[in-house]
Amino acid sequence: FGPTLSLHPLAFTLCPLALHQLYYDPNIENKNLAQKWLMQAQISAQAWQFCWALLRPDKVPEIQYFGASALHTKISRYWGDIPAEQYGTLKTQLFSQIALFASGSKIVLTRLCVALASLALNMMPEAWPGAVGEMVRAFQEEGGAADGRARCLALLELLTVLPEEFQTSRLPQYRKGQVRGALGREWAAVCPLLQQLLRQPESPAPVKARALKCLSSWVLLDVPLSESEGLLEAGFAALADPELFDTAVEAIVNAISQPDSQRYVSTLLKLVPQVLQLQEQLREAVQNGDMETSHGICRIAVSLGENHSRSLLEQVEHWQSFLALVNMIMFCTGIPGHYPVNETTSSLTLTFWYTLQDDIMSFEAEKQTVYLQVYRPVYFQLVDVLLHKAQFPTDEEYASWTSDEKEQFRIYRVDISDTLMYVYEMLGAELLSNLYDKLGRLLTNAEQPTSWQHTEALLYGFQSIAETIDVNYSDVIPGLIGLIPRININNVQLADTVMFTIGALAEWLADHPVMLSSVLPLVLQALGNPDLSVSSVSTLKKICRECKYDLPPYATNIVAVSQEVLIKQIHKTSQCMWLMQALGFLLSALPVEDILRNLHSLITPYIQQLEKLADETPNPSNKLAIIHILGLLSNLFTTLDITKQEEESGDSAPPIKSTPPQTGPNPVVVVLQQVFALIQTVLSKWLNDSQVVEAVCAIFEKSVKTLLHDFAPMVSQLSEMLGQMYSTIPQASALDLTRQMMHIFASETDHFPPIKALFELVTSVTLTIFQQGPRDHPDIVDSFMQLQAQALKRKPDLFLSENLDVKAVFHCGVLSLKFPEAPTVKSTCLFFTELLPHCADVPPVGQVVQDDGKLLLLAVLEAIGGQSSRSLMDQFAEVLFCMNKHCFGLLTVWLKEALQSPGFPSSRVSNEQKDTFSQQVLRERVNKRRVKDIVKEFTLVCRGLHGTEYAAEY
């Protein structure tokens, strides 16, 4: 067994050696070589000879298994290679082998059954009519080495894998329909056999278990539920036998869950009492802590309720039995114990409550009213059950949970929160009143001590609803805000929920600012607790964003507390950034002199620290500190926006909130001008480090986005700094910032000259990169193409400049289309779709397209021909569409010339197909969508994928 992968004539001898090497050789290279060789052996012509030899009784199971797998591979994938006259022989041989292995290795038997199943599916219905009936008869005949029980199990294995093989088979679509129909007719041969085996008292448990598995497999073919009534009855009876329980559950759930089963309402009605009879077994399982049994019974009840609630609701005369089923599912939702440690069942039921609510609410008004009378009390009970299930365990118990269990419990609570939010749609304001009454009784009852868990769960209910539902109209929120300070917060989880609840009510507080004084002290106090970092900071940010015009009286205190926690480094980096954003919102509503005063006290410690760091020799630890400080400034400037004061305080806010129009420079600009020299010093030391450069650019990019035209005083010095940066060490972030300034200041004649000079400089530097080899810099190329596209969009006359080499930029674009990175190619296509419309009004553009446009077309055709990812075809189609729209005459000539080349853009397309493509494209000068479809069709032909499964998914 040498290094070559060509198949040796002695494959039969070599296969055992290769298998031994695959399973037992410690050398991974030898294993990989053996695996490649074996895969090739499986599909070789010799496989027909050696696979039977490998199944001999003297071989070990691993070798026999490979022989059986080779048979299945040949039949399932290379069916066309088998002559029709050999079908019968192959079928007989497989029957014989299955009979031999009925008492042998289980894994080999299963593989042989799968091979025979594949044979049957390929022969059905014409070449092997009544296949299943023949299988049943063949295994019921006496004789052979295997005893009756082994033959029965082998037959059941074969019947089980037959539908499974159908589900995964590679049959063409038209054959799938034929074979599905044939299999449906074969159910008549399978059903009585299963019924007989399940009902016979003397049938051994393994036979019954296999029969139930077989039922599970066949119901996936949508066999009529009405024809399975007897089998399902036997399945329910099997639930009493622990050995059969799991397989019985699977069979019942699969049968009930089939989409087609809802047509058989009379059968569904017969199933309801059978499910209800399981309640005693369910209660016993819960009492005994038997999670598997309670889980299985719950699955059955939920699958019946969830899949058929509409059908069962409509059977008005049976409303009591369906209500009993709903209550049984409620019991499963409220099953005792904490999820996921003591139980894993309750989570299965949550989707049912959505489905039932949807079905009730979808009835017409009159019918809906009747159902709501019955089910509103049920849903109020559900809320109580869910909030009970959402309660944390005792502190000691929770401390003993693993991190994985805690995470599962967190996700489970999120699911409960989503369910409560949904239930609110049905129960409305009464639900909030209900929660408020309970919380009020809990907090005002001095005689009865309450657990923090109970309080936390009720607050969690409020938070779940207030987070997504507009509660501004609710009359209980003032009372809730009044209750919050009365809560004895002696626990992190409770404190977290109090914070998140206040955060969820931030919009309400904006409309009722008088209540801020009740909750703000709690939030500021929580800021100092590292355990409450996420909840306290996110809540403060929400309040500062929603209520900023009501916060000036509290601003000094908020800034002082925030400064203190920032200096003490209580919070992680991301929370520090959120906190800075919160302060940005807060300061935005203050008069300019107050903003400047607060900014000075807030930023000075960081500026001093940055000055110290700028003098140090660069190393990894001071790099992190620099990036952190720059990040704090970026996040502060992201939200500090005084320009929105007037517009936001116009109609909706009372006049008292409005602030006089600002005069003088924007406070952010004042600060940036003060620290500009320091930032340049930092840059000079760290110009080689892309992360520091990105952090510097982020400060200005965030400021530009927020300040827009107010950023004007900074344009000149920033343009100069960016030019120096990019000339020394080009980085994508500098190009992105240039693009941002281009976007905002393109039409401002006073401020645009420095941006024009910067644009010409970075273009020139980038062209040099292209000359030296741009493959190592796809990010720079991506940003460069986006910048050029922005220039063409906002200021096309830049391309009239003598300092801009339009021809070189065009050629760089053509080169960039061939990059493997999808984002870069997308940006380049965007560049060309912006460039081509200027063929007429920008002479240098028109000239370069006339001279070199054919190169662009060739690059686009190469991509469509298979050089680029199929996911990018829409972008290339847009370039082609623009060429057709803006240089039609030239495109007509270029297309003809390009497509005349033999084998271009793909050897798989004929001249006729190329002509058709060319004509279709040239015809479409208005309908861009149609050009995209033409390109998609042509690229599939070029890649040899037209008419395949891949094409169907495309």
Side-chain angles (χ1 to χ4, degrees), residues 19-138:
L19 285 161
H20 187 273
Q21 198 163 308
L22 178 66
Y23 289 125
Y24 304 112
D25 194 320
N27 185 317
I28 194 72
E29 283 183 19
N30 289 347
K31 280 180 181 291
N32 290 339
L33 187 63
Q35 187 170 15
K36 282 181 185 174
W37 189 90
L38 286 164
M39 285 170 74
Q40 198 172 334
Q42 269 194 329
I43 63 173
S44 69
Q46 293 99 313
W48 286 118
Q49 283 76 48
F50 71 70
C51 58
W52 300 110
L54 296 179
L55 286 165
R56 287 179 192 160
D58 60 331
K59 302 296 176 196
V60 294
E62 291 94 331
I63 292 172
Q64 292 171 333
Y65 179 81
F66 179 76
S69 289
L71 269 173
H72 174 245
T73 301
K74 295 296 284 182
I75 294 168
S76 62
R77 296 191 188 180
Y78 303 95
W79 177 251
D81 298 349
I82 307 171
E85 61 270 15
Q86 289 186 18
Y87 292 171
T89 313
L90 189 52
K91 180 178 30 165
T92 306
Q93 283 178 297
L94 280 167
F95 269 128
S96 303
Q97 289 292 340
I98 290 170
L100 284 171
F101 278 92
S103 304
S105 166
K106 173 74 172 67
I107 58 164
V108 181
L109 172 66
T110 299
R111 214 75 205 126
L112 288 167
C113 287
V114 171
L116 182 54
S118 186
L119 180 80
L121 294 173
N122 279 295
M123 290 173 70
M124 281 181 175
E126 296 89 359
W128 192 0
V132 173
E134 189 178 330
M135 290 173 187
V136 173
R137 287 191 298 278

Side-chain angles (χ1 to χ4, degrees), residues 626-646:
I626 287 169
I627 289 173
H628 180 76
I629 292 169
L630 296 174
L632 291 174
L633 295 175
S634 288
N635 279 277
L636 178 63
F637 298 156
T638 301
T639 54
L640 207 172
D641 185 8
I642 61 170
T643 58
K644 289 188 179 174
Q645 284 187 352
E646 283 180 46

Side-chain angles (χ1 to χ4, degrees), residues 417-418 421-422 425 462-471 504:
S417 172
D418 292 344
M421 180 194 76
Y422 205 74
E425 299 292 330
F462 265 112
Q463 178 207 322
S464 304
I465 295 160
E467 258 176 347
T468 45
I469 307 285
D470 180 10
V471 294

